[in-house]
Amino acid sequence: MPTDTRLAGPALQLADSLWQDAAVKFGNTGAAVLGFVGVLLAVFYAAGRATGRLSRPLAIVLMLGPAIVLLLTGLVVPLLRTVVLSFLDADGAKFVGGKNYGWALTSSPIHGVLLNTLLWLVVAPLTATGLGLALALMVDRMRGQAVWKSLIFMPMAVSLVAASIVFKLVYESRGSGQSQVGLLSQLAVAVGWDDPPNWILSQPLNSFLLMAVLVWVQTGFAMVVLSAAIKAIPDEITEAARLDGATGLRLFRHVTVPMIRTTLVVVLTTIMIITLKAFDIVRTMTGGNFGTQVLANEMYSQSFEQYNYGRGSALAVILFLAVAPLVVYNIALLRKERATR
């Protein structure tokens, strides 16, 4: 069959260009890796050759120096820059004081975003932690618990973007009379609902459907951690409670829950932190439309879609201030637990 030589030339040129581009990228990546390894070898060599009174301080500086530089450039400096930008105008050129924060606290659309974020903060962590605790209690009594735990924990290995795409297909809905491809719509048809709604457009149901993605991913984490905490309860305490007549729900309420209270709070607050930063799910499934907007996605939209860096930075600071107390509380709780051991 004859080949069109007019198309072969451009196609070969495109292929050569792609290969050259790929070779350049791989070369740059390889050079960066080799440079990083070279720097590490130089640091270790210098630390090993140091002698005398300066050997210990030099070793500390050489070991901690790179970590401190990365911490400053990747966290501290961006944080300070964000705080500064939150007091500037949309272009980041003129000082406007607390105008951006006033907008965030008085704007009706942002009030809706904050309320929706609060709804996420209450529903998703409590549901994921509750399901994780229930599954931990049930799976620990089953044969082959390692297999079941692995299956339940497996969603943790899936990125939130990938999980959102999967659930978006699950929520896919078509008009009446058409064959449904979405699992949820097909189940609705199977039980007699001839015309299931467009789930993503149905408010406020769509927000809870988006929360289901986070719950699906985080339940396995909660189950594994709480299962380990339950198994760590001394057998003597459980046996003594049973001798006193505590069984079933009473044993769970008065013995199991108090003994794992610290772990339960840590799991709950950890999922709350993840929930406050939930961006991937909303961005992938709805883009913040149809009443599903949350604070993290609104921050992105203000900064990189509307190019209002002042407002976006103010929302970022508010988000940071909301997460920080949870992190501090978690650290304090863990330190208290270690001190009592």
Side-chain angles (χ1 to χ4, degrees):
M1 189 173 184
T3 304
D4 192 345
T5 56
R6 292 175 300 178
L7 298 177
L12 289 174
Q13 291 177 2
L14 178 61
D16 290 341
S17 176
L18 291 175
W19 277 110
Q20 290 175 5
D21 185 52
V24 170
K25 290 180 178 179
F26 278 114
N28 292 338
T29 303
V33 172
L34 290 176
F36 179 72
V37 172
V39 170
L40 284 181
L41 291 176
V43 168
F44 290 144
Y45 178 78
R49 296 285 294 177
T51 57
R53 291 186 303 174
L54 295 178
S55 61
R56 181 177 175 80
L58 181 61
I60 293 174
V61 171
L62 290 175
M63 294 301 175
L64 294 181
I68 293 174
V69 171
L70 290 174
L71 182 65
L72 289 173
T73 57
L75 182 63
V76 177
V77 173
L79 174 61
L80 295 176
R81 183 173 181 272
T82 301
V83 173
V84 172
L85 283 174
S86 69
F87 293 101
L88 303 179
D89 63 357
D91 298 325
K94 182 180 178 182
F95 180 77
V96 295
K99 184 177 179 181
N100 294 318
Y101 293 98
W103 164 82
L105 297 176
T106 59
S107 174
S108 296
I110 301 302
H111 287 169
V113 172
L114 293 174
L115 287 175
N116 199 38
T117 303
L118 181 61
L119 183 65
W120 273 72
L121 192 61
V122 172
V123 175
L126 288 175
T127 304
T129 305
L131 286 175
L133 180 58
L135 289 171
L137 293 169
M138 290 188 293
V139 174
D140 284 345
R141 301 179 181 180
M142 298 171 62
R143 293 182 179 179
Q145 58 178 273
V147 176
W148 297 112
K149 285 183 178 179
S150 298
L151 292 174
I152 297 171
F153 187 77
M154 196 174 294
M156 280 291 296
V158 180
S159 69
L160 289 177
V161 173
S164 301
I165 293 173
V166 171
F167 272 80
K168 194 172 183 179
L169 294 174
V170 171
Y171 300 150
E172 181 70 24
S173 179
R174 295 184 176 180
S176 178
Q178 301 184 44
S179 59
Q180 299 292 340
V181 295
L183 178 60
L184 184 59
S185 297
Q186 187 59 47
L187 290 174
V189 171
V191 298
W193 196 344
D194 296 329
D195 188 16
N198 191 325
W199 306 103
I200 297 298
L201 299 180
S202 303
Q203 303 182 33
L205 176 63
N206 51 5
S207 291
F208 293 98
L209 294 178
L210 267 61
M211 293 178 203
V213 182
L214 185 66
V215 171
W216 180 68
V217 172
Q218 293 297 323
T219 295
F221 160 75
M223 177 205 65
V224 170
V225 176
L226 293 174
S227 175
I230 292 172
K231 288 184 176 181
I233 299 176
D235 294 335
E236 304 82 39
I237 295 178
T238 305
E239 291 299 325
R242 285 175 177 167
L243 290 174
D244 289 339
T247 58
L249 185 60
R250 190 176 179 184
L251 179 66
F252 170 76
R253 180 181 176 183
H254 295 286
V255 178
T256 304
V257 171
M259 292 297 295
I260 66 170
R261 185 185 66 85
T262 302
T263 305
L264 201 60
V265 173
V266 169
V267 170
L268 181 63
T269 52
T270 300
I271 300 178
M272 288 175 73
I273 293 170
I274 296 171
T275 302
L276 273 173
K277 300 186 296 180
F279 163 81
D280 320 57
I281 299 172
V282 176
R283 194 74 196 169
T284 303
M285 299 188 71
T286 64
N289 299 313
F290 321 123
T292 61
Q293 187 70 295
V294 293
L295 188 58
N297 192 62
E298 180 66 24
M299 172 193 69
Y300 177 89
S301 299
Q302 289 290 336
S303 298
F304 302 109
E305 289 183 348
Q306 303 181 33
Y307 298 103
N308 193 320
Y309 299 110
R311 290 182 175 181
S313 298
L315 292 176
V317 173
I318 292 173
L319 183 61
F320 172 78
L321 293 176
V323 171
L326 295 175
V327 175
V328 172
Y329 179 71
N330 253 1
I331 295 173
L333 200 62
L334 290 173
R335 285 183 176 177
K336 182 179 179 181
E337 184 183 10
R338 289 176 182 175
T340 55
R341 288 180 179 179

